[in-house]
PDB file of all heavy atoms in Angstrom:
ATOM      1  N   VAL A 581     -20.046  11.161   1.041  1.00  0.00           N
ATOM      2  CA  VAL A 581     -19.050  11.438   2.156  1.00  0.00           C
ATOM      3  C   VAL A 581     -18.263  10.269   2.568  1.00  0.00           C
ATOM      4  O   VAL A 581     -17.042  10.258   3.051  1.00  0.00           O
ATOM      5  CB  VAL A 581     -19.698  12.067   3.382  1.00  0.00           C
ATOM      6  CG1 VAL A 581     -18.611  12.663   4.313  1.00  0.00           C
ATOM      7  CG2 VAL A 581     -20.415  13.313   2.840  1.00  0.00           C
ATOM      8  N   GLU A 582     -18.931   9.038   2.663  1.00  0.00           N
ATOM      9  CA  GLU A 582     -18.384   7.748   3.171  1.00  0.00           C
ATOM     10  C   GLU A 582     -17.199   7.315   2.358  1.00  0.00           C
ATOM     11  O   GLU A 582     -16.274   6.516   2.894  1.00  0.00           O
ATOM     12  CB  GLU A 582     -19.375   6.647   3.268  1.00  0.00           C
ATOM     13  CG  GLU A 582     -20.416   6.810   4.315  1.00  0.00           C
ATOM     14  CD  GLU A 582     -21.340   5.554   4.398  1.00  0.00           C
ATOM     15  OE1 GLU A 582     -21.166   4.730   3.526  1.00  0.00           O
ATOM     16  OE2 GLU A 582     -22.110   5.492   5.294  1.00  0.00           O
ATOM     17  N   THR A 583     -16.964   7.903   1.103  1.00  0.00           N
ATOM     18  CA  THR A 583     -15.978   7.439   0.347  1.00  0.00           C
ATOM     19  C   THR A 583     -14.590   7.699   0.814  1.00  0.00           C
ATOM     20  O   THR A 583     -13.672   6.937   0.864  1.00  0.00           O
ATOM     21  CB  THR A 583     -16.038   8.092  -1.093  1.00  0.00           C
ATOM     22  OG1 THR A 583     -17.373   8.085  -1.475  1.00  0.00           O
ATOM     23  CG2 THR A 583     -15.059   7.340  -2.053  1.00  0.00           C
ATOM     24  N   TRP A 584     -14.485   8.942   1.573  1.00  0.00           N
ATOM     25  CA  TRP A 584     -13.263   9.313   2.107  1.00  0.00           C
ATOM     26  C   TRP A 584     -12.721   8.272   3.199  1.00  0.00           C
ATOM     27  O   TRP A 584     -11.626   7.851   3.291  1.00  0.00           O
ATOM     28  CB  TRP A 584     -13.253  10.748   2.708  1.00  0.00           C
ATOM     29  CG  TRP A 584     -13.599  11.751   1.599  1.00  0.00           C
ATOM     30  CD1 TRP A 584     -14.765  12.464   1.402  1.00  0.00           C
ATOM     31  CD2 TRP A 584     -12.754  12.107   0.489  1.00  0.00           C
ATOM     32  NE1 TRP A 584     -14.672  13.212   0.204  1.00  0.00           N
ATOM     33  CE2 TRP A 584     -13.397  13.080  -0.280  1.00  0.00           C
ATOM     34  CE3 TRP A 584     -11.428  11.840   0.133  1.00  0.00           C
ATOM     35  CZ2 TRP A 584     -12.943  13.611  -1.483  1.00  0.00           C
ATOM     36  CZ3 TRP A 584     -10.909  12.334  -0.922  1.00  0.00           C
ATOM     37  CH2 TRP A 584     -11.559  13.272  -1.681  1.00  0.00           C
ATOM     38  N   PRO A 585     -13.556   8.113   4.291  1.00  0.00           N
ATOM     39  CA  PRO A 585     -12.962   7.217   5.331  1.00  0.00           C
ATOM     40  C   PRO A 585     -12.897   5.804   4.848  1.00  0.00           C
ATOM     41  O   PRO A 585     -12.028   5.025   5.190  1.00  0.00           O
ATOM     42  CB  PRO A 585     -14.151   7.192   6.471  1.00  0.00           C
ATOM     43  CG  PRO A 585     -15.295   8.042   5.867  1.00  0.00           C
ATOM     44  CD  PRO A 585     -14.666   8.828   4.643  1.00  0.00           C
ATOM     45  N   TYR A 586     -13.638   5.429   3.777  1.00  0.00           N
ATOM     46  CA  TYR A 586     -13.422   4.054   3.131  1.00  0.00           C
ATOM     47  C   TYR A 586     -12.032   3.931   2.521  1.00  0.00           C
ATOM     48  O   TYR A 586     -11.321   2.976   2.664  1.00  0.00           O
ATOM     49  CB  TYR A 586     -14.565   3.887   2.107  1.00  0.00           C
ATOM     50  CG  TYR A 586     -14.701   2.527   1.486  1.00  0.00           C
ATOM     51  CD1 TYR A 586     -15.391   1.516   1.966  1.00  0.00           C
ATOM     52  CD2 TYR A 586     -13.896   2.286   0.215  1.00  0.00           C
ATOM     53  CE1 TYR A 586     -15.518   0.328   1.461  1.00  0.00           C
ATOM     54  CE2 TYR A 586     -14.105   0.975  -0.222  1.00  0.00           C
ATOM     55  CZ  TYR A 586     -14.822   0.047   0.243  1.00  0.00           C
ATOM     56  OH  TYR A 586     -14.841  -1.181  -0.275  1.00  0.00           O
ATOM     57  N   ARG A 587     -11.707   4.939   1.860  1.00  0.00           N
ATOM     58  CA  ARG A 587     -10.350   5.053   1.288  1.00  0.00           C
ATOM     59  C   ARG A 587      -9.174   5.166   2.359  1.00  0.00           C
ATOM     60  O   ARG A 587      -8.094   4.636   2.177  1.00  0.00           O
ATOM     61  CB  ARG A 587     -10.162   6.184   0.267  1.00  0.00           C
ATOM     62  CG  ARG A 587     -10.910   6.002  -0.921  1.00  0.00           C
ATOM     63  CD  ARG A 587     -10.586   7.055  -1.974  1.00  0.00           C
ATOM     64  NE  ARG A 587     -11.182   6.767  -3.349  1.00  0.00           N
ATOM     65  CZ  ARG A 587     -11.490   7.554  -4.202  1.00  0.00           C
ATOM     66  NH1 ARG A 587     -11.255   8.787  -4.040  1.00  0.00           N
ATOM     67  NH2 ARG A 587     -11.892   7.169  -5.450  1.00  0.00           N
ATOM     68  N   ALA A 588      -9.628   5.790   3.518  1.00  0.00           N
ATOM     69  CA  ALA A 588      -8.565   5.840   4.644  1.00  0.00           C
ATOM     70  C   ALA A 588      -8.249   4.459   5.149  1.00  0.00           C
ATOM     71  O   ALA A 588      -7.017   4.103   5.352  1.00  0.00           O
ATOM     72  CB  ALA A 588      -9.120   6.685   5.665  1.00  0.00           C
ATOM     73  N   VAL A 589      -9.250   3.515   5.243  1.00  0.00           N
ATOM     74  CA  VAL A 589      -8.914   2.147   5.517  1.00  0.00           C
ATOM     75  C   VAL A 589      -8.027   1.483   4.548  1.00  0.00           C
ATOM     76  O   VAL A 589      -6.983   0.820   4.834  1.00  0.00           O
ATOM     77  CB  VAL A 589     -10.125   1.289   5.662  1.00  0.00           C
ATOM     78  CG1 VAL A 589      -9.903  -0.029   6.109  1.00  0.00           C
ATOM     79  CG2 VAL A 589     -11.092   1.881   6.780  1.00  0.00           C
ATOM     80  N   ALA A 590      -8.257   1.672   3.276  1.00  0.00           N
ATOM     81  CA  ALA A 590      -7.463   1.185   2.181  1.00  0.00           C
ATOM     82  C   ALA A 590      -6.001   1.728   2.249  1.00  0.00           C
ATOM     83  O   ALA A 590      -5.011   0.932   2.157  1.00  0.00           O
ATOM     84  CB  ALA A 590      -8.077   1.569   0.841  1.00  0.00           C
ATOM     85  N   ASP A 591      -5.894   2.931   2.569  1.00  0.00           N
ATOM     86  CA  ASP A 591      -4.418   3.528   2.753  1.00  0.00           C
ATOM     87  C   ASP A 591      -3.827   2.960   4.039  1.00  0.00           C
ATOM     88  O   ASP A 591      -2.669   2.632   3.978  1.00  0.00           O
ATOM     89  CB  ASP A 591      -4.570   4.984   2.929  1.00  0.00           C
ATOM     90  CG  ASP A 591      -4.969   5.689   1.569  1.00  0.00           C
ATOM     91  OD1 ASP A 591      -4.654   5.080   0.577  1.00  0.00           O
ATOM     92  OD2 ASP A 591      -5.526   6.868   1.655  1.00  0.00           O
ATOM     93  N   ALA A 592      -4.605   2.766   4.997  1.00  0.00           N
ATOM     94  CA  ALA A 592      -4.092   2.183   6.431  1.00  0.00           C
ATOM     95  C   ALA A 592      -3.504   0.772   6.213  1.00  0.00           C
ATOM     96  O   ALA A 592      -2.510   0.383   6.782  1.00  0.00           O
ATOM     97  CB  ALA A 592      -5.100   2.215   7.466  1.00  0.00           C
ATOM     98  N   MET A 593      -4.237   0.048   5.327  1.00  0.00           N
ATOM     99  CA  MET A 593      -3.635  -1.316   5.145  1.00  0.00           C
ATOM    100  C   MET A 593      -2.286  -1.443   4.660  1.00  0.00           C
ATOM    101  O   MET A 593      -1.627  -2.442   4.881  1.00  0.00           O
ATOM    102  CB  MET A 593      -4.594  -2.002   4.072  1.00  0.00           C
ATOM    103  CG  MET A 593      -5.995  -2.326   4.567  1.00  0.00           C
ATOM    104  SD  MET A 593      -5.934  -3.554   6.000  1.00  0.00           S
ATOM    105  CE  MET A 593      -7.431  -3.388   6.729  1.00  0.00           C
ATOM    106  N   GLU A 594      -1.835  -0.303   3.958  1.00  0.00           N
ATOM    107  CA  GLU A 594      -0.435  -0.437   3.417  1.00  0.00           C
ATOM    108  C   GLU A 594       0.650  -0.304   4.578  1.00  0.00           C
ATOM    109  O   GLU A 594       1.766  -0.434   4.265  1.00  0.00           O
ATOM    110  CB  GLU A 594      -0.258   0.741   2.383  1.00  0.00           C
ATOM    111  CG  GLU A 594      -1.066   0.467   1.159  1.00  0.00           C
ATOM    112  CD  GLU A 594      -0.604   1.458   0.035  1.00  0.00           C
ATOM    113  OE1 GLU A 594       0.265   2.331   0.341  1.00  0.00           O
ATOM    114  OE2 GLU A 594      -1.306   1.597  -1.067  1.00  0.00           O
ATOM    115  N   VAL A 595       0.186  -0.041   5.738  1.00  0.00           N
ATOM    116  CA  VAL A 595       1.234   0.137   6.780  1.00  0.00           C
ATOM    117  C   VAL A 595       2.045  -1.113   7.162  1.00  0.00           C
ATOM    118  O   VAL A 595       3.200  -1.095   7.352  1.00  0.00           O
ATOM    119  CB  VAL A 595       0.662   0.722   8.142  1.00  0.00           C
ATOM    120  CG1 VAL A 595      -0.311  -0.485   8.818  1.00  0.00           C
ATOM    121  CG2 VAL A 595       1.552   1.158   9.082  1.00  0.00           C
ATOM    122  N   ILE A 596       1.359  -2.263   6.860  1.00  0.00           N
ATOM    123  CA  ILE A 596       2.102  -3.565   7.166  1.00  0.00           C
ATOM    124  C   ILE A 596       3.262  -3.729   6.303  1.00  0.00           C
ATOM    125  O   ILE A 596       4.377  -3.917   6.697  1.00  0.00           O
ATOM    126  CB  ILE A 596       1.132  -4.769   7.215  1.00  0.00           C
ATOM    127  CG1 ILE A 596       0.038  -4.605   8.299  1.00  0.00           C
ATOM    128  CG2 ILE A 596       1.821  -6.105   7.400  1.00  0.00           C
ATOM    129  CD1 ILE A 596       0.394  -4.723   9.600  1.00  0.00           C
ATOM    130  N   PRO A 597       2.942  -3.834   4.859  1.00  0.00           N
ATOM    131  CA  PRO A 597       4.081  -3.979   3.918  1.00  0.00           C
ATOM    132  C   PRO A 597       5.060  -2.852   3.995  1.00  0.00           C
ATOM    133  O   PRO A 597       6.396  -3.079   3.940  1.00  0.00           O
ATOM    134  CB  PRO A 597       3.447  -4.012   2.581  1.00  0.00           C
ATOM    135  CG  PRO A 597       2.116  -3.658   2.619  1.00  0.00           C
ATOM    136  CD  PRO A 597       1.666  -3.875   4.137  1.00  0.00           C
ATOM    137  N   ARG A 598       4.707  -1.599   4.299  1.00  0.00           N
ATOM    138  CA  ARG A 598       5.556  -0.467   4.503  1.00  0.00           C
ATOM    139  C   ARG A 598       6.541  -0.693   5.564  1.00  0.00           C
ATOM    140  O   ARG A 598       7.717  -0.494   5.601  1.00  0.00           O
ATOM    141  CB  ARG A 598       4.819   0.851   4.603  1.00  0.00           C
ATOM    142  CG  ARG A 598       5.747   2.131   4.538  1.00  0.00           C
ATOM    143  CD  ARG A 598       5.163   3.351   4.965  1.00  0.00           C
ATOM    144  NE  ARG A 598       3.701   3.389   4.513  1.00  0.00           N
ATOM    145  CZ  ARG A 598       2.665   3.731   5.393  1.00  0.00           C
ATOM    146  NH1 ARG A 598       2.936   3.925   6.645  1.00  0.00           N
ATOM    147  NH2 ARG A 598       1.520   3.761   4.873  1.00  0.00           N
ATOM    148  N   THR A 599       5.829  -1.112   6.792  1.00  0.00           N
ATOM    149  CA  THR A 599       6.783  -1.252   7.956  1.00  0.00           C
ATOM    150  C   THR A 599       7.777  -2.506   7.728  1.00  0.00           C
ATOM    151  O   THR A 599       8.884  -2.388   8.244  1.00  0.00           O
ATOM    152  CB  THR A 599       5.948  -1.728   9.186  1.00  0.00           C
ATOM    153  OG1 THR A 599       4.828  -0.763   9.290  1.00  0.00           O
ATOM    154  CG2 THR A 599       6.618  -1.835  10.419  1.00  0.00           C
ATOM    155  N   LEU A 600       7.349  -3.626   7.016  1.00  0.00           N
ATOM    156  CA  LEU A 600       8.272  -4.630   6.704  1.00  0.00           C
ATOM    157  C   LEU A 600       9.451  -4.176   5.908  1.00  0.00           C
ATOM    158  O   LEU A 600      10.629  -4.573   6.153  1.00  0.00           O
ATOM    159  CB  LEU A 600       7.495  -5.845   5.960  1.00  0.00           C
ATOM    160  CG  LEU A 600       6.577  -6.734   6.808  1.00  0.00           C
ATOM    161  CD1 LEU A 600       5.777  -7.605   5.819  1.00  0.00           C
ATOM    162  CD2 LEU A 600       7.422  -7.576   7.663  1.00  0.00           C
ATOM    163  N   VAL A 601       9.196  -3.344   4.955  1.00  0.00           N
ATOM    164  CA  VAL A 601      10.296  -2.799   4.071  1.00  0.00           C
ATOM    165  C   VAL A 601      11.225  -1.856   5.003  1.00  0.00           C
ATOM    166  O   VAL A 601      12.317  -2.025   4.930  1.00  0.00           O
ATOM    167  CB  VAL A 601       9.634  -1.967   2.899  1.00  0.00           C
ATOM    168  CG1 VAL A 601      10.761  -1.337   2.134  1.00  0.00           C
ATOM    169  CG2 VAL A 601       8.895  -2.898   2.048  1.00  0.00           C
ATOM    170  N   GLN A 602      10.586  -1.042   5.698  1.00  0.00           N
ATOM    171  CA  GLN A 602      11.354  -0.113   6.653  1.00  0.00           C
ATOM    172  C   GLN A 602      12.155  -0.902   7.668  1.00  0.00           C
ATOM    173  O   GLN A 602      13.390  -0.565   7.844  1.00  0.00           O
ATOM    174  CB  GLN A 602      10.531   0.798   7.298  1.00  0.00           C
ATOM    175  CG  GLN A 602       9.803   1.985   6.553  1.00  0.00           C
ATOM    176  CD  GLN A 602       8.748   2.634   7.170  1.00  0.00           C
ATOM    177  OE1 GLN A 602       8.244   2.215   8.125  1.00  0.00           O
ATOM    178  NE2 GLN A 602       8.271   3.875   6.640  1.00  0.00           N
ATOM    179  N   ASN A 603      11.633  -1.912   8.198  1.00  0.00           N
ATOM    180  CA  ASN A 603      12.415  -2.676   9.258  1.00  0.00           C
ATOM    181  C   ASN A 603      13.555  -3.495   8.717  1.00  0.00           C
ATOM    182  O   ASN A 603      14.535  -3.857   9.256  1.00  0.00           O
ATOM    183  CB  ASN A 603      11.551  -3.813   9.963  1.00  0.00           C
ATOM    184  CG  ASN A 603      10.598  -2.998  10.964  1.00  0.00           C
ATOM    185  OD1 ASN A 603      10.866  -1.759  11.139  1.00  0.00           O
ATOM    186  ND2 ASN A 603       9.695  -3.641  11.542  1.00  0.00           N
ATOM    187  N   SER A 604      13.405  -3.772   7.212  1.00  0.00           N
ATOM    188  CA  SER A 604      14.569  -4.550   6.525  1.00  0.00           C
ATOM    189  C   SER A 604      15.490  -3.622   5.969  1.00  0.00           C
ATOM    190  O   SER A 604      16.440  -3.914   5.318  1.00  0.00           O
ATOM    191  CB  SER A 604      14.014  -5.529   5.619  1.00  0.00           C
ATOM    192  OG  SER A 604      13.290  -4.892   4.702  1.00  0.00           O
ATOM    193  N   GLY A 605      15.239  -2.257   6.208  1.00  0.00           N
ATOM    194  CA  GLY A 605      16.270  -1.325   5.645  1.00  0.00           C
ATOM    195  C   GLY A 605      16.068  -0.961   4.208  1.00  0.00           C
ATOM    196  O   GLY A 605      16.969  -0.618   3.505  1.00  0.00           O
ATOM    197  N   GLY A 606      14.900  -1.251   3.524  1.00  0.00           N
ATOM    198  CA  GLY A 606      14.664  -1.046   2.112  1.00  0.00           C
ATOM    199  C   GLY A 606      14.119   0.324   1.860  1.00  0.00           C
ATOM    200  O   GLY A 606      13.841   1.124   2.730  1.00  0.00           O
ATOM    201  N   ASN A 607      13.946   0.667   0.562  1.00  0.00           N
ATOM    202  CA  ASN A 607      13.331   1.881   0.221  1.00  0.00           C
ATOM    203  C   ASN A 607      11.829   1.715   0.015  1.00  0.00           C
ATOM    204  O   ASN A 607      11.203   1.072  -0.914  1.00  0.00           O
ATOM    205  CB  ASN A 607      13.915   2.281  -1.257  1.00  0.00           C
ATOM    206  CG  ASN A 607      13.365   3.673  -1.631  1.00  0.00           C
ATOM    207  OD1 ASN A 607      12.293   3.974  -1.327  1.00  0.00           O
ATOM    208  ND2 ASN A 607      14.194   4.289  -2.562  1.00  0.00           N
ATOM    209  N   ALA A 608      11.131   2.249   0.970  1.00  0.00           N
ATOM    210  CA  ALA A 608       9.688   2.042   1.175  1.00  0.00           C
ATOM    211  C   ALA A 608       8.865   2.360  -0.016  1.00  0.00           C
ATOM    212  O   ALA A 608       7.989   1.838  -0.516  1.00  0.00           O
ATOM    213  CB  ALA A 608       9.074   2.634   2.405  1.00  0.00           C
ATOM    214  N   ILE A 609       9.190   3.730  -0.602  1.00  0.00           N
ATOM    215  CA  ILE A 609       8.268   4.335  -1.543  1.00  0.00           C
ATOM    216  C   ILE A 609       8.536   3.485  -2.890  1.00  0.00           C
ATOM    217  O   ILE A 609       7.513   3.059  -3.444  1.00  0.00           O
ATOM    218  CB  ILE A 609       8.747   5.729  -1.998  1.00  0.00           C
ATOM    219  CG1 ILE A 609       8.432   6.505  -0.607  1.00  0.00           C
ATOM    220  CG2 ILE A 609       8.101   6.293  -3.103  1.00  0.00           C
ATOM    221  CD1 ILE A 609       8.940   7.972  -0.671  1.00  0.00           C
ATOM    222  N   ARG A 610       9.744   3.054  -3.272  1.00  0.00           N
ATOM    223  CA  ARG A 610       9.921   2.311  -4.540  1.00  0.00           C
ATOM    224  C   ARG A 610       9.367   0.980  -4.458  1.00  0.00           C
ATOM    225  O   ARG A 610       8.677   0.538  -5.254  1.00  0.00           O
ATOM    226  CB  ARG A 610      11.485   2.115  -4.789  1.00  0.00           C
ATOM    227  CG  ARG A 610      11.778   1.448  -6.060  1.00  0.00           C
ATOM    228  CD  ARG A 610      13.241   1.297  -6.384  1.00  0.00           C
ATOM    229  NE  ARG A 610      13.857   2.736  -6.378  1.00  0.00           N
ATOM    230  CZ  ARG A 610      15.129   2.881  -6.103  1.00  0.00           C
ATOM    231  NH1 ARG A 610      16.034   1.940  -5.633  1.00  0.00           N
ATOM    232  NH2 ARG A 610      15.672   4.093  -6.129  1.00  0.00           N
ATOM    233  N   VAL A 611       9.534   0.220  -3.248  1.00  0.00           N
ATOM    234  CA  VAL A 611       9.084  -1.145  -3.162  1.00  0.00           C
ATOM    235  C   VAL A 611       7.543  -1.207  -3.083  1.00  0.00           C
ATOM    236  O   VAL A 611       6.986  -1.983  -3.808  1.00  0.00           O
ATOM    237  CB  VAL A 611       9.591  -1.847  -1.828  1.00  0.00           C
ATOM    238  CG1 VAL A 611       8.953  -3.141  -1.583  1.00  0.00           C
ATOM    239  CG2 VAL A 611      11.145  -1.913  -1.916  1.00  0.00           C
ATOM    240  N   LEU A 612       6.871  -0.216  -2.395  1.00  0.00           N
ATOM    241  CA  LEU A 612       5.495  -0.203  -2.236  1.00  0.00           C
ATOM    242  C   LEU A 612       4.816   0.059  -3.641  1.00  0.00           C
ATOM    243  O   LEU A 612       3.782  -0.366  -4.060  1.00  0.00           O
ATOM    244  CB  LEU A 612       4.997   0.849  -1.320  1.00  0.00           C
ATOM    245  CG  LEU A 612       5.081   0.370   0.150  1.00  0.00           C
ATOM    246  CD1 LEU A 612       4.512   1.453   1.121  1.00  0.00           C
ATOM    247  CD2 LEU A 612       4.228  -0.981   0.386  1.00  0.00           C
ATOM    248  N   THR A 613       5.441   0.948  -4.518  1.00  0.00           N
ATOM    249  CA  THR A 613       5.030   1.294  -5.778  1.00  0.00           C
ATOM    250  C   THR A 613       4.970   0.015  -6.732  1.00  0.00           C
ATOM    251  O   THR A 613       4.045  -0.336  -7.459  1.00  0.00           O
ATOM    252  CB  THR A 613       5.763   2.475  -6.531  1.00  0.00           C
ATOM    253  OG1 THR A 613       5.956   3.427  -5.522  1.00  0.00           O
ATOM    254  CG2 THR A 613       5.278   2.848  -7.800  1.00  0.00           C
ATOM    255  N   GLU A 614       6.124  -0.701  -6.524  1.00  0.00           N
ATOM    256  CA  GLU A 614       6.227  -1.918  -7.347  1.00  0.00           C
ATOM    257  C   GLU A 614       5.134  -2.878  -6.979  1.00  0.00           C
ATOM    258  O   GLU A 614       4.538  -3.622  -7.760  1.00  0.00           O
ATOM    259  CB  GLU A 614       7.625  -2.569  -7.252  1.00  0.00           C
ATOM    260  CG  GLU A 614       8.759  -1.858  -7.877  1.00  0.00           C
ATOM    261  CD  GLU A 614      10.197  -2.586  -7.541  1.00  0.00           C
ATOM    262  OE1 GLU A 614      10.158  -3.671  -7.113  1.00  0.00           O
ATOM    263  OE2 GLU A 614      11.206  -1.787  -7.550  1.00  0.00           O
ATOM    264  N   LEU A 615       5.023  -3.074  -5.677  1.00  0.00           N
ATOM    265  CA  LEU A 615       4.028  -4.042  -5.054  1.00  0.00           C
ATOM    266  C   LEU A 615       2.600  -3.622  -5.523  1.00  0.00           C
ATOM    267  O   LEU A 615       1.723  -4.520  -5.945  1.00  0.00           O
ATOM    268  CB  LEU A 615       4.219  -4.033  -3.509  1.00  0.00           C
ATOM    269  CG  LEU A 615       3.428  -5.141  -2.896  1.00  0.00           C
ATOM    270  CD1 LEU A 615       3.925  -6.544  -3.309  1.00  0.00           C
ATOM    271  CD2 LEU A 615       3.708  -5.100  -1.350  1.00  0.00           C
ATOM    272  N   ARG A 616       2.260  -2.321  -5.498  1.00  0.00           N
ATOM    273  CA  ARG A 616       0.947  -1.969  -5.810  1.00  0.00           C
ATOM    274  C   ARG A 616       0.722  -2.247  -7.314  1.00  0.00           C
ATOM    275  O   ARG A 616      -0.368  -2.621  -7.658  1.00  0.00           O
ATOM    276  CB  ARG A 616       0.913  -0.311  -5.665  1.00  0.00           C
ATOM    277  CG  ARG A 616      -0.489   0.042  -4.974  1.00  0.00           C
ATOM    278  CD  ARG A 616      -0.450   1.554  -4.720  1.00  0.00           C
ATOM    279  NE  ARG A 616       0.074   1.957  -3.403  1.00  0.00           N
ATOM    280  CZ  ARG A 616       1.163   2.809  -3.280  1.00  0.00           C
ATOM    281  NH1 ARG A 616       1.680   3.230  -4.318  1.00  0.00           N
ATOM    282  NH2 ARG A 616       1.620   3.003  -2.125  1.00  0.00           N
ATOM    283  N   ALA A 617       1.643  -2.076  -8.094  1.00  0.00           N
ATOM    284  CA  ALA A 617       1.552  -2.293  -9.632  1.00  0.00           C
ATOM    285  C   ALA A 617       1.207  -3.851  -9.799  1.00  0.00           C
ATOM    286  O   ALA A 617       0.377  -4.232 -10.664  1.00  0.00           O
ATOM    287  CB  ALA A 617       2.852  -1.964 -10.296  1.00  0.00           C
ATOM    288  N   LYS A 618       1.917  -4.728  -9.056  1.00  0.00           N
ATOM    289  CA  LYS A 618       1.676  -6.055  -9.224  1.00  0.00           C
ATOM    290  C   LYS A 618       0.275  -6.499  -8.744  1.00  0.00           C
ATOM    291  O   LYS A 618      -0.389  -7.313  -9.423  1.00  0.00           O
ATOM    292  CB  LYS A 618       2.665  -6.795  -8.272  1.00  0.00           C
ATOM    293  CG  LYS A 618       4.089  -6.924  -8.772  1.00  0.00           C
ATOM    294  CD  LYS A 618       4.282  -8.019  -9.792  1.00  0.00           C
ATOM    295  CE  LYS A 618       5.804  -8.062 -10.180  1.00  0.00           C
ATOM    296  NZ  LYS A 618       5.906  -8.819 -11.420  1.00  0.00           N
ATOM    297  N   HIS A 619      -0.188  -5.951  -7.707  1.00  0.00           N
ATOM    298  CA  HIS A 619      -1.567  -6.198  -7.127  1.00  0.00           C
ATOM    299  C   HIS A 619      -2.671  -5.555  -8.100  1.00  0.00           C
ATOM    300  O   HIS A 619      -3.750  -6.275  -8.313  1.00  0.00           O
ATOM    301  CB  HIS A 619      -1.644  -5.734  -5.671  1.00  0.00           C
ATOM    302  CG  HIS A 619      -1.139  -6.610  -4.723  1.00  0.00           C
ATOM    303  ND1 HIS A 619      -1.779  -7.636  -4.129  1.00  0.00           N
ATOM    304  CD2 HIS A 619       0.163  -6.760  -4.220  1.00  0.00           C
ATOM    305  CE1 HIS A 619      -1.064  -8.292  -3.208  1.00  0.00           C
ATOM    306  NE2 HIS A 619       0.132  -7.784  -3.412  1.00  0.00           N
ATOM    307  N   ALA A 620      -2.295  -4.458  -8.724  1.00  0.00           N
ATOM    308  CA  ALA A 620      -3.171  -3.936  -9.619  1.00  0.00           C
ATOM    309  C   ALA A 620      -3.420  -4.795 -10.803  1.00  0.00           C
ATOM    310  O   ALA A 620      -4.491  -4.864 -11.511  1.00  0.00           O
ATOM    311  CB  ALA A 620      -2.745  -2.564 -10.106  1.00  0.00           C
ATOM    312  N   ASN A 621      -2.394  -5.586 -11.232  1.00  0.00           N
ATOM    313  CA  ASN A 621      -2.645  -6.533 -12.298  1.00  0.00           C
ATOM    314  C   ASN A 621      -3.092  -7.967 -11.837  1.00  0.00           C
ATOM    315  O   ASN A 621      -3.160  -8.822 -12.660  1.00  0.00           O
ATOM    316  CB  ASN A 621      -1.158  -6.842 -12.873  1.00  0.00           C
ATOM    317  CG  ASN A 621      -0.510  -5.639 -13.640  1.00  0.00           C
ATOM    318  OD1 ASN A 621      -1.371  -4.755 -14.023  1.00  0.00           O
ATOM    319  ND2 ASN A 621       0.641  -5.589 -13.749  1.00  0.00           N
ATOM    320  N   GLY A 622      -3.604  -7.902 -10.648  1.00  0.00           N
ATOM    321  CA  GLY A 622      -4.274  -9.182 -10.146  1.00  0.00           C
ATOM    322  C   GLY A 622      -3.381 -10.195  -9.662  1.00  0.00           C
ATOM    323  O   GLY A 622      -3.771 -11.321  -9.302  1.00  0.00           O
ATOM    324  N   GLU A 623      -2.000  -9.910  -9.435  1.00  0.00           N
ATOM    325  CA  GLU A 623      -1.100 -10.878  -8.877  1.00  0.00           C
ATOM    326  C   GLU A 623      -1.148 -10.788  -7.361  1.00  0.00           C
ATOM    327  O   GLU A 623      -0.213 -10.033  -6.901  1.00  0.00           O
ATOM    328  CB  GLU A 623       0.240 -10.725  -9.504  1.00  0.00           C
ATOM    329  CG  GLU A 623       0.318 -10.909 -11.036  1.00  0.00           C
ATOM    330  CD  GLU A 623       1.658 -10.538 -11.605  1.00  0.00           C
ATOM    331  OE1 GLU A 623       2.647 -10.988 -11.059  1.00  0.00           O
ATOM    332  OE2 GLU A 623       1.736  -9.860 -12.658  1.00  0.00           O
ATOM    333  N   HIS A 624      -2.120 -11.256  -6.654  1.00  0.00           N
ATOM    334  CA  HIS A 624      -2.317 -10.970  -5.277  1.00  0.00           C
ATOM    335  C   HIS A 624      -1.440 -11.837  -4.313  1.00  0.00           C
ATOM    336  O   HIS A 624      -1.393 -11.539  -3.082  1.00  0.00           O
ATOM    337  CB  HIS A 624      -3.807 -11.318  -4.931  1.00  0.00           C
ATOM    338  CG  HIS A 624      -4.702 -10.520  -5.463  1.00  0.00           C
ATOM    339  ND1 HIS A 624      -4.535  -9.150  -5.589  1.00  0.00           N
ATOM    340  CD2 HIS A 624      -5.801 -10.829  -6.302  1.00  0.00           C
ATOM    341  CE1 HIS A 624      -5.626  -8.569  -6.081  1.00  0.00           C
ATOM    342  NE2 HIS A 624      -6.314  -9.568  -6.714  1.00  0.00           N
TER     343      HIS A 624
END
């Protein structure tokens, strides 16, 4: 059962990059998808 709240923290972390994109007037969904792909490849 702990897996769900553990993932919730992982999802919550995305709020910082999402808010940065929103405040600069960008497209949050597209930019976060690109960013996630970069990090999945180990480009931290």
Side-chain angles (χ1 to χ4, degrees):
V581 187
E582 282 186 0
T583 316
W584 298 109
Y586 187 86
R587 285 189 169 154
V589 177
D591 290 335
M593 287 295 160
E594 290 188 5
V595 72
I596 301 287
R598 189 190 324 128
T599 306
L600 281 170
V601 178
Q602 286 167 346
N603 287 352
S604 59
N607 182 333
I609 296 171
R610 182 180 300 154
V611 174
L612 281 184
T613 309
E614 288 175 25
L615 191 56
R616 220 176 276 122
K618 287 278 184 197
H619 280 268
N621 289 339
E623 297 177 45
H624 295 311

